[in-house]
Structure formats: C-alpha cells, structure tokens
Amino acid sequence: MLGDVRVGAVGLGTMPLSIEGRPDEARAVATVHAALDAGVTLLDTADSYHPPGGEPGEGELLVARALASYGGRTDGVLVATKGGRGRTADGGWTVDGRPGHLRRAAEASARRLGGDAIGLYQLHKPDPAVPYAESLGAVRELLDAGTVRLAGVSNVDAERILLAREVLGDRLVSVQNRYSPAVRDGEAELRLCAELGLAFLPWSPLGGISRSSLDGTSALEEDPEFGAFHRVARARGTGPQRVALAWLLSRSETVLPIPGASRPETARDSAAATGLVLTEEELRELGGSAVRGKREASGRTEVNGARSYGREQEAPGRTRVNRALAVQG
C-alpha cells in the first residue's frame, strides 16, 4: 500500500526512458505499455528526468503520453514524481529544496501529468542549503492545497524520515532510497519503514546485477559477492535480474522495487519477479534475512490496510497472480 492506494509489488522506474541514452519515443512508450500489460500499476518519474540541456518535465510528459495512448484501463495506475533536483548543461545534477521552488515545481508537474492532483509527490533529495523542515513544510502546503494526494521522501536517513513523519503525518507514505544487492547500507532506514508502515522504494535495485537477464550471463557471474544471484538463477531457469528483485521483495513486506527499463522485454521480465518465491536456503545463499513479516502470495504490497479492487492476469507458462490495482481518490 501507498497510503490508501494498493499497487502491484513491482513498479517501473522511467528514468532510463527520459535521460541521456534514452530510446526513441516509440520504444519508450512501448516499454511503459508492456509494464502496464504485465500488471505494473506504479510508474516513477521526476521533473529532472531529462537529458542535459533539455526541458524540466520531459520524463513526466512521456509518462503522460504513454498513459494517454494505452489501450487498456489506466484509472488504477499511480504516477509518482519527484521535485527538488535539476540538471546542468554538462550532465550534472543540482539540488533545490527552497519552499517556493518546490511549490512551483509541483504545480508544473501537476499540469504536465494532468488529472486533479499528483498521485505521489516525493521530495527528491535534501538540500544542504535549506533546513529540511522548511522543504517538508512546502510539501505539506501542497498536500493541504490538493495539488498532491500523497507524499514521499527520497535519499534520506532515519532522522529525516522521522522528521518527515512529524511534519507530514500519515500523508507520508513512502521512502525512496538506494538499495540493491550491491548497496545494502540502508538497513536502518528499511527497518524503520517497516516499523512505521511506510513503503520502501529501492532505486537502482539491480545494482551488482549490471545487465538484464535477457542479455544472458554477465561478467559478474564469477564475482563471489554477486555470483550467488547467478547460481540461483541458473538453478531456477531464470535470470539474475528476476532473482535480485525476488530477493528484494523478500526483505520486507513494505519493499516495492522500481527497476528501470528501456525496452518492453525488460519491463515484462521485472514484473514477473512477483511470481518467483525464493526458498529459505536460497535466501541464506543470497544473504540477508527478512526484516519483518512475509509478503502475500499474490505478490501485492500492503501497508496500513485499505480497500481496493483487482484483476487477475495469466501469461503462458506463469502462475496466475492477483495484481491489485491502485485506487485513485
């Protein structure tokens, strides 16, 4: 759950579709459509997802176009965007957490995405030049004004998560931090999210598994740190990317990975990770025990409890999975 919204257990990170090296428009849109076809109901973007020299919001506009051209239902899709970062002409990244900037940025994002309000608005990164409470105060004002329905924070430590909870209350529903097979130093934040009932969205969740399983075995297979993911994948007849996502899902019932994709095949493969349940022996080999509880067999993510409606979808050779859709308020 993201607040009172139920989403599928794996989302889609659209950053690779929007920044330098991005695919052409047709393939980018096809990638989003493939994710939706596979049951993905959370799309993550940001106003800063654009190439150097590009215009803010290009990634948001791409998501909006992909949803508008999709042939199926989109009323159950939750779009999450972020504000507070920017790009430089040479490809660098900036941070701007000033309240006035955040308000203007969110209003611009809402216009680009369309609809009554932004489903989930995330403060992209703390600005060292601005007290974090002031940036959070701007997000609270956006919630009060109805520009934003739900709020999240990103790239934060446990202290800032607690501050965000104090300022935003139960309208804070998510934390988006880096976490992957290669980067596991976010355990304290992951545990805190489990305790508070906040969704934990790992960004760059395939760190250490550098290539899609669709590309075959990578050079990392013999690396003792990550080779276990390839060994388990071989034994299961799947790819290390899917194993890595299944491992993340096993870490906590609040984990909701948002792997990126730049082609339809990869988006479908990531979504299929909800159907892979790792054994206790495999989890020991991969490292790390579950933080708290177990995920539903259906592959849904639930935090805080809420009503929802769902659909069942079955692909050839796959286990039938109930992928619950988000309910837009």
Side-chain angles (χ1 to χ4, degrees):
M1 299 296 301
L2 287 165
D4 60 354
V5 177
R6 180 173 291 176
V7 294
V10 174
L12 174 69
T14 64
M15 183 178 180
L17 305 176
S18 313
I19 64 169
E20 50 268 41
R22 61 186 176 182
D24 61 37
E25 172 92 2
R27 196 173 92 183
V29 169
T31 300
V32 176
H33 288 178
L36 298 174
D37 287 342
V40 169
T41 56
L42 174 65
L43 304 179
D44 180 79
T45 184
D47 62 1
S48 57
Y49 289 172
H50 60 81
E55 292 295 322
E58 289 185 27
E60 294 170 330
L61 289 170
L62 171 68
V63 169
R65 290 193 297 271
L67 289 172
S69 62
Y70 184 57
R73 291 180 60 179
T74 60
D75 56 334
V77 177
L78 178 67
V79 176
T81 192
K82 298 181 285 294
R85 299 211 73 179
R87 302 297 308 272
T88 61
D90 63 358
W93 296 82
T94 61
V95 182
D96 190 344
R98 293 173 300 167
H101 169 77
L102 292 172
R103 285 190 291 268
R104 291 189 296 272
E107 290 163 358
S109 291
R111 289 192 296 270
R112 287 187 289 262
L113 291 170
D116 298 332
I118 297 172
L120 172 62
Y121 193 70
Q122 303 159 99
L123 189 53
H124 206 155
K125 187 176 183 179
D127 184 344
V130 178
Y132 198 54
E134 292 185 11
S135 299
L136 291 168
V139 176
R140 182 178 58 199
E141 291 177 8
L142 291 165
L143 287 162
D144 292 342
T147 307
V148 172
R149 289 196 180 100
L150 301 168
V153 291
S154 182
N155 297 298
V156 288
D157 57 17
E159 183 179 356
R160 287 191 172 100
I161 294 172
L162 291 172
L163 178 58
R165 182 61 173 259
E166 179 182 341
V167 173
L168 303 175
D170 60 8
R171 293 181 293 181
L172 175 72
V173 300
S174 67
V175 172
Q176 186 175 145
N177 277 4
R178 189 177 185 184
Y179 191 81
S180 69
V183 180
R184 307 188 190 188
D185 57 2
E187 290 290 334
E189 290 73 29
L190 174 58
R191 291 181 183 277
L192 179 58
C193 286
E195 292 169 7
L196 297 177
L198 301 175
F200 185 87
L201 282 57
W203 63 263
S204 194
L206 298 174
I209 311 297
S210 63
R211 300 169 64 192
S212 167
S213 60
L214 301 170
D215 293 321
T217 302
S218 79
L220 289 173
E221 183 169 7
E222 302 307 320
D223 188 318
E225 187 175 2
F226 307 115
F229 289 87
H230 296 264
R231 291 192 294 272
V232 171
R234 281 200 307 273
R236 288 298 200 99
T238 186
Q241 179 191 45
R242 197 180 298 185
V243 172
L245 292 173
W247 172 79
L248 284 166
L249 291 172
S250 76
R251 300 292 296 120
S252 167
E253 61 188 7
T254 66
V255 168
L256 203 170
I258 46 171
S262 60
R263 50 182 171 159
E265 297 87 351
T266 306
R268 285 191 287 265
D269 187 69
S270 292
T274 59
L276 178 61
V277 179
L278 299 171
T279 66
E280 292 297 326
E281 181 179 353
E282 289 168 334
L283 290 173
R284 283 194 296 272
E285 182 176 5
L286 297 174
S289 58
V291 170
R292 180 172 68 91
K294 291 186 178 295
R295 185 174 304 274
E296 289 185 57
S298 65
R300 294 176 298 182
T301 296
E302 287 199 44
V303 179
N304 296 335
R307 296 190 304 272
S308 72
Y309 61 94
R311 64 180 174 185
E312 290 194 341
Q313 180 171 317
E314 186 172 20
R318 294 183 187 168
T319 302
R320 181 176 291 272
V321 175
N322 181 17
R323 306 192 196 300
L325 297 179
V327 180
Q328 296 275 18

